[in-house]
Amino acid sequence: AEMFGQLTSGLESAWNKLKGEETLTKENIVEPMREIRRALLEADVSLPVVRRFVQAVTDQAVGVGLIPGVKPDQQLVKIVHDELVNLMGKEVSELVFAKSGPTIILLAGLQGVGKTTVCAKLAFYLKKLDKSCMLVAGDIYRPAAIDQLSILGEQVGVPVYTAGTDVKPADIAKQGLQEAKRQNVDVVIVDTAGRLQIDKAMMDELKEVKRAINPTEVLLVVDAMTGQEAAALVTTFNLEIGITGAILTKLDGDSRGGAALSVKEVAGKPIKLVGRGERLEDLEPFYPDRMAGRILG
Ligand code: GDP
C-alpha cells in the first residue's frame, strides 16, 4: 500500500466537488467538507480530532475570502494543508540531547511494533550525526531479543551491553549506563521488554527503569498500521510513565494515516521519528509539512 494513498484519494473527492465554482460559500463548502470528514474517518483519525479539524477548515474556508487568482478548490487544498501541519505539530520535534554526560534514550513499546529494529536504526541514525552509541539489552524475557539486538549492534557497529536474563531490567540499565560513561559514549539507547498488551507488570518495570537512569528521552514506539489505537497508546503510556514523544513505525505500509494525524492532538506528545521500511537507513525525523505534502499528493 502506498503511504497515505487511501487518504490522498479520499481527500481528492473533496476538491473535485468544487471544480467549476468561482468562490467559496457556506453552501458550496458543505459537500466538500462532508468528503473531508469521511476521508479522515476512513483514515482512522480519532473522532474528536476529525471534528475539530473539520470545524477549523470550515471556519477558514468561509471566513477568509479568496486569494486573488486562486481557484476555490486550490484554496481549500491550501487551507487543509496548513491545518494538517498544525495538527501534526507544525515544527519538527527534534531529539533532545543531554547538556552533559551521555544522552539516555529509553525505548518502550508493545511486542511486534518494531522496537528492536528501532534500536538499531536509531543507533545508525545517530552515528551519521557523529554521535557514538551504545545499546542496552533490557528485554530479559525473550533471550532471542538479546541475541537479535547483539546481531543488529554488530551490523551497525555499536557496542551492545547485555547482562543475560537473570538481572532486573532497572539494574541492567544502570550497569549499561555506567559502562557507557566509562567508554565516553554520547548516546545510550535502552531497549525494554514489549508485551502483547499493556499490563501492570510492564508499566511497573518501565517506571523502575526510568527511575533508575533518569532518561533524557522516553520514546514510545508505535505501529502506524494501528491507526488511532497508536494515539491511545501514547496517551496511556504518557499518563502511566511520562514520555517525551513517539516513534511511528511501518509508515511505509500505512495507506490511511490515522496514527500520524492523531498522536499529537490526542496525546499531546509529538512524533519525533518515523520508520519507513525494514532497512537500517529507514528512520527519519517526522516533518509535519512534508507529511502534509505527501497526504495531499
Ligand atoms: P519488536 O517486537 O517491537 O522488537 O519488533 P521488531 O523490531 O522485531 O519488528 C517486527 C517486524 O516489523 C520485523 O519483521 C521488522 O522487519 C518489521 N518492521 C519494523 N519496522 C518496520 C518499518 O518501518 N517498516 C516495515 N515495513 N517493517 C518494519
Side-chain angles (χ1 to χ4, degrees), residues 110-118 121 142 148 249-252 275-278 282:
L110 296 182
Q111 224 170 73
V113 295
K115 188 161 49 62
T116 312
T117 313
V118 161
K121 285 173 168 175
R142 289 185 310 149
Q148 194 189 351
T249 60
K250 308 188 193 181
L251 210 61
D252 52 309
R276 290 183 48 181
E278 295 184 279
D282 294 330

Side-chain angles (χ1 to χ4, degrees), residues 3 16 70 85 105 122 126 152 165 171 183 205 217 243:
M3 193 172 129
N16 288 339
V70 178
V85 175
I105 301 178
L122 193 51
L126 290 166
L152 287 167
T165 55
D171 292 334
Q183 294 187 26
E205 185 176 291
E217 292 270 15
I243 64 171

Side-chain angles (χ1 to χ4, degrees), residues 67-182:
I67 303 164
V70 178
K71 294 268 183 229
D73 58 333
Q74 279 313 305
Q75 181 141 343
L76 187 60
V77 172
K78 163 94 172 67
I79 294 168
V80 169
H81 174 274
D82 293 350
E83 277 306 315
L84 284 173
V85 175
N86 278 339
L87 188 59
M88 288 185 280
K90 275 196 191 115
E91 316 256 299
V92 183
S93 202
E94 307 267 2
L95 276 181
V96 172
F97 295 101
K99 293 206 178 64
S100 66
T103 296
I104 306 164
I105 301 178
L106 178 60
L107 291 179
L110 296 182
Q111 224 170 73
V113 295
K115 188 161 49 62
T116 312
T117 313
V118 161
C119 286
K121 285 173 168 175
L122 193 51
F124 183 85
Y125 172 80
L126 290 166
K127 261 185 88 176
K128 279 192 299 182
L129 299 180
D130 269 332
K131 309 254 182 211
S132 59
C133 282
M134 177 183 274
L135 302 178
V136 176
D139 180 356
I140 58 169
Y141 305 102
R142 289 185 310 149
I146 300 175
D147 295 340
Q148 194 189 351
L149 204 65
S150 300
I151 292 165
L152 287 167
E154 209 160 297
Q155 262 176 39
V156 182
V158 296
V160 180
Y161 183 85
T162 62
T165 55
D166 295 332
V167 184
K168 276 199 317 187
D171 292 334
I172 296 175
K174 248 193 292 195
Q175 291 164 15
L177 178 57
Q178 263 163 20
E179 182 58 23
K181 283 178 178 162
R182 208 180 57 76

